Amino acid sequence: MPDKIDPPRQLPLDLGHGTGYSRDELVVSSTNSQAAALVDRWPDWPSPVVVLAGPAGSGKTHLASIWRTRAGAVKVEAGRIGDCIETLGARPALIDDIDAGPLDEHGLFHLINAVRGAGSTLLLTARRFPSAWGVGLPDLASRLKAAATVEIHEPDDLLLAGVITKLFADRQVEVEPHVVQYLVRRIERSLATAMRVVERLDRTALERKTPITRALAAETVSAMDEGQGEFEI
């Protein structure tokens, strides 16, 4: 008996599907509604300095991008804060993932002072609350205590389902609701994981020239659970 021949597989072109970071593309649920409301009400903020704190994949970067566009803010690199202070003027500033690496305490202290002095605003995103950053500079610790902190929680079912549906729509792929619900129940509760799963499912379906079914979703999630997410499944 001849060996079984696998069907030909189409290698999909990487079309660079971008993740939309506009306000219209933000899915809002109880987990991020407070943060979304704060972004929407700018410049009417309770404090010149606001911290959005939440776990990786909770949507902080999306919210920060919306605010940056809305406010015309300057994005400041966490490791090069001092470079921007003299040229910032009265423009708002954004530092994304400020607690991802070593904290430039003196730079942040002077940036906060510059923002306050100019009557401007500063948005910081982080995984943890400022009290967990290990700040040793007393004056900076005092400034951060005066900041308004908004927590973003891990995505709930409503948010995760909405994001997965949106990610497929970004790729012009229609997926049955029961497939989306299966993914919501199975994957890590993270928007970053949702992006990886959708990318893998879309690529595999294109290669095999098949629709995205629950069976394919189960195969893909199992492969990623077993650490095979970077390989062919």
Side-chain angles (χ1 to χ4, degrees):
M1 177 180 288
D3 293 337
K4 180 181 177 181
I5 300 176
D6 292 332
R9 299 173 64 164
Q10 172 184 343
L11 296 179
L13 296 175
D14 183 359
L15 299 179
H17 299 282
T19 300
Y21 279 153
S22 74
R23 179 62 179 88
D24 290 342
E25 292 169 305
L26 178 68
V27 180
V28 179
S29 77
S30 59
T31 63
N32 65 353
S33 58
Q34 187 179 4
L38 189 74
V39 167
D40 287 341
R41 66 184 283 194
W42 182 89
D44 181 21
W45 275 5
S47 169
V49 181
V50 168
V51 180
L52 293 185
S58 59
K60 300 185 298 294
T61 296
H62 189 165
L63 285 160
S65 178
I66 292 169
W67 178 78
R68 182 186 178 191
T69 299
R70 181 184 182 95
V74 176
K75 187 172 183 180
V76 178
E77 297 299 325
R80 304 181 63 182
I81 297 175
D83 295 347
C84 78
I85 294 176
E86 291 186 2
T87 59
L88 184 63
R91 291 174 295 175
L94 163 69
I95 304 179
D96 203 11
D97 288 327
I98 190 167
D99 62 341
L103 183 63
D104 178 3
E105 296 191 21
H106 286 90
L108 181 57
F109 173 69
H110 291 302
L111 176 60
I112 291 175
N113 285 345
V115 166
R116 288 160 59 103
S120 187
T121 45
L122 169 65
L123 178 64
L124 308 173
T125 74
R127 295 189 181 188
R128 300 163 296 169
F129 291 109
S131 59
W133 295 356
V135 173
L137 187 64
D139 288 340
L140 175 59
S142 176
R143 293 287 189 273
L144 290 173
K145 285 180 181 179
T149 302
V150 179
E151 184 175 11
I152 307 174
H153 301 278
E154 290 184 343
D156 57 12
D157 287 357
L158 176 64
L159 179 59
L160 203 54
V163 167
I164 290 171
T165 300
K166 172 194 170 302
L167 289 171
F168 278 122
D170 286 346
R171 295 170 173 268
Q172 299 182 332
V173 176
E174 292 187 11
V175 177
E176 293 292 333
H178 71 272
V179 176
V180 173
Q181 290 304 317
Y182 173 80
L183 292 172
V184 168
R185 292 192 300 270
R186 283 292 314 277
I187 70 172
E188 174 188 321
R189 308 199 70 75
S190 154
L191 303 189
T193 299
M195 292 173 65
R196 289 195 297 271
V197 170
V198 167
E199 190 278 333
R200 171 61 61 178
L201 273 169
D202 185 28
R203 177 172 292 273
T204 304
L206 284 171
E207 289 176 355
R208 299 182 182 181
K209 299 183 180 179
T210 62
I212 296 176
T213 62
R214 185 185 181 283
L216 183 60
E219 181 184 348
T220 301
V221 173
S222 294
M224 295 182 74
D225 286 346
E226 294 167 5
Q228 300 171 16
E230 298 303 318
F231 304 98
E232 297 292 346
I233 60 174

